[in-house]
Amino acid sequence: MRCPSCGNPDSKVVDSRPSEDGTAIRRRRECLECGRRFTTYERLGENPLIVTKRDGSSEAYDRQKLMRGLLMACAKRPISPEQIGALIDSIESELRNASKAEIGSKELGDMALVRLAKLDDVAYVRFASVYKDFQNVEEFAAALEGLR
């Protein structure tokens, strides 16, 4: 694992423990060059999940892409990155349990929206406004009504 500070490929594991939900191993590492500490997560390698987009094209599921979208929706909200990570873990766990090899982007977005609605109304509306691609104020108002 390369050090995020200096890029040195050599590090040692200082601490190792299961993540909160048990689906990954959290490792604290220390760079042997600069001494800086950083965290890595080790997850079980699985068959890649394919996401089918609206236009019919397909791409491999990218956890970081979903994370970026959720982080933008949750910006300046009282939601920690750990909560967002747990939300994504929950989605991935549901997909693994369903043994799906392919999922539509609409279904993936709906899964995120259901979880965001329970977490924060403002983040829900922000994510929905991009994900659902509202074309007018009425569609936006309908999404707000759905929260009540």
Side-chain angles (χ1 to χ4, degrees):
M1 188 77 208
R2 290 194 179 277
C3 172
S5 297
C6 69
N8 183 42
D10 298 323
S11 64
K12 67 178 180 180
V13 176
V14 178
D15 181 39
S16 184
R17 63 180 68 170
S19 66
E20 293 173 11
D21 62 357
T23 62
I25 297 175
R26 177 184 179 269
R27 298 192 194 280
R28 286 293 291 162
R29 296 179 176 271
E30 183 176 315
C31 176
L32 296 177
E33 182 72 26
C34 68
R36 184 120 188 213
R37 290 188 174 193
F38 56 98
T39 302
T40 60
Y41 290 89
E42 184 178 312
R43 298 184 190 286
L44 179 64
E46 298 175 8
N47 293 334
L49 179 67
I50 303 299
V51 178
T52 306
K53 298 164 68 171
R54 288 182 193 162
D55 65 3
S57 64
S58 297
E59 66 180 40
Y61 167 75
D62 182 2
R63 179 184 174 91
Q64 293 305 316
K65 186 174 181 180
L66 182 56
M67 175 69 86
R68 283 190 302 274
L70 290 169
L71 283 171
M72 288 172 51
C74 297
K76 298 184 181 180
R77 299 299 305 155
I79 301 169
S80 70
E82 290 79 20
Q83 288 175 295
I84 296 171
L87 186 149
I88 294 172
D89 288 342
S90 167
I91 291 171
E92 290 175 349
S93 177
E94 184 178 330
L95 292 172
R96 264 192 311 278
N97 292 339
S99 299
K100 290 192 171 193
E102 194 168 319
I103 185 171
S105 60
K106 180 182 179 338
E107 188 178 351
L108 185 60
D110 288 342
M111 292 171 80
L113 280 174
V114 166
R115 288 161 174 81
L116 268 178
K118 295 175 187 170
L119 197 60
D120 186 83
D121 290 346
V122 173
Y124 169 88
V125 171
R126 287 177 179 170
F127 190 82
S129 69
V130 173
Y131 160 69
K132 293 197 178 218
D133 192 27
F134 296 139
Q135 298 299 314
N136 55 47
V137 176
E138 289 78 23
E139 291 177 6
F140 196 82
L144 289 174
E145 263 317 298
L147 285 174
R148 292 185 182 177

